[in-house]
Amino acid sequence: MFFFSEIKKEKILPGSVEHAYLTILEGDFISAKRIFETLDSPRARWGISLTNILLGYIENFPTYFEIRNFLEIDLDFLIKNEKIDFVEQVLGSLELLANINQETYKYVARVMFENRLYKSAREYLEKSKDIFYNDPELHFLFAKYYIKTREYEKADFYLDECLSILPDYYPAKILQKEISRYLA
C-alpha cells in the first residue's frame, strides 16, 4: 500500500513524482533519482536527496524546508510499505540532516510514535531534547508518549514545560486538563 494506492498502477504517468516513488519501492534508486532530476519542484529536489541517502551518499544536501516538509511523509511511507532496510538507511543519515534542520529528530520521533514504534519514538525525542530543549511541540510529544505509557506525572511535567515556553499552546492545555483526573 503506497501513498498513491488509490491510483491504479497503469494511471501513474511515466516520469512523474509518483513514478519515482514507485521506483523507490522497487529498490531502483538510480532510476528514481533520474526521474526526480527531470522534474522542477521542491518535492523532486527532496527526492534527489532522498535517493542519494538511499544510495548511501549525499551529493545534494536537502534544505531546511525540504527536511521539514518531506522527511516525515517519506519515512512514514517507507515504514508503511515495510521497507525496513530503506528506513534504516534514512535513519543513518539523521545526524547529517539534524545539522541542517535541528527539528529532524523530532520529526522522526513523531513518525515512530504514530507507527506505534514507541521505544524508537522515545529515543528520537531524547535526541531532539539534547539539540533544542525549548521546543514546545517536543514537550507536547513527550507528554503524549508518557500518556501512552501511563506515566501521568511525567506527562504532566512535560506539559508544564511546554506551557512554560508557550503559555497559549492550546493542545497542551486541553491534554493537561484531560490527564488531571489521573494525578493524585
Side-chain angles (χ1 to χ4, degrees):
M1 171 209 343
F2 35 91
F3 73 93
F4 45 86
S5 62
E6 61 275 355
I7 302 171
K8 293 186 185 326
K9 274 189 179 180
E10 58 270 355
K11 290 190 179 185
I12 293 175
L13 298 175
S16 65
V17 168
E18 293 84 2
H19 180 213
Y21 275 93
L22 182 58
T23 306
I24 286 173
L25 289 180
E26 293 169 348
D28 187 356
F29 309 135
I30 292 171
S31 294
K33 183 179 176 188
R34 285 187 188 128
I35 295 167
F36 285 129
E37 288 172 338
T38 67
L39 303 170
D40 183 27
S41 71
R43 181 66 146 159
R45 285 187 292 281
W46 161 257
I48 294 167
S49 297
L50 175 64
T51 54
N52 283 337
I53 290 167
L54 294 170
L55 286 164
Y57 64 92
I58 295 185
E59 292 174 338
N60 303 317
F61 291 91
T63 66
Y64 174 92
F65 289 108
E66 289 168 358
I67 295 167
R68 184 190 76 180
N69 293 337
F70 305 118
L71 175 63
E72 280 182 83
I73 294 167
D74 287 353
L75 188 58
D76 186 62
F77 164 74
L78 294 172
I79 290 170
K80 284 187 171 39
N81 283 285
E82 300 176 359
K83 297 298 184 181
I84 304 309
D85 291 344
F86 303 174
V87 169
E88 288 176 359
Q89 195 70 14
V90 172
L91 296 178
S93 73
L94 294 183
E95 187 175 337
L96 175 83
L97 298 178
N99 286 325
I100 299 167
N101 183 324
Q102 65 187 9
E103 295 180 273
T104 295
Y105 291 120
K106 177 181 72 176
Y107 302 147
V108 172
R110 189 168 30 220
V111 172
M112 297 302 179
F113 185 85
E114 293 303 322
N115 282 284
R116 297 183 182 101
L117 300 167
Y118 300 119
K119 184 178 176 186
S120 291
R122 172 97 196 289
E123 175 187 339
Y124 290 109
L125 287 170
E126 290 293 339
K127 286 181 181 231
S128 185
K129 184 170 75 170
D130 291 342
I131 292 173
F132 188 41
Y133 188 84
N134 290 326
D135 179 348
E137 186 182 21
L138 171 68
H139 295 292
F140 183 75
L141 292 171
F142 261 116
K144 285 177 62 176
Y145 169 81
Y146 284 117
I147 289 168
K148 184 59 79 179
T149 62
R150 298 181 180 184
E151 297 175 77
Y152 300 110
E153 278 110 26
K154 287 182 180 180
D156 192 50
F157 168 82
Y158 280 104
L159 290 169
D160 285 343
E161 289 292 286
C162 174
L163 293 168
S164 73
I165 297 165
L166 187 60
D168 293 329
Y169 196 92
Y170 186 73
K173 288 180 176 183
I174 296 300
L175 196 54
Q176 198 165 46
K177 188 181 284 187
E178 285 178 21
I179 68 165
S180 66
R181 64 181 178 214
Y182 298 110
L183 300 171

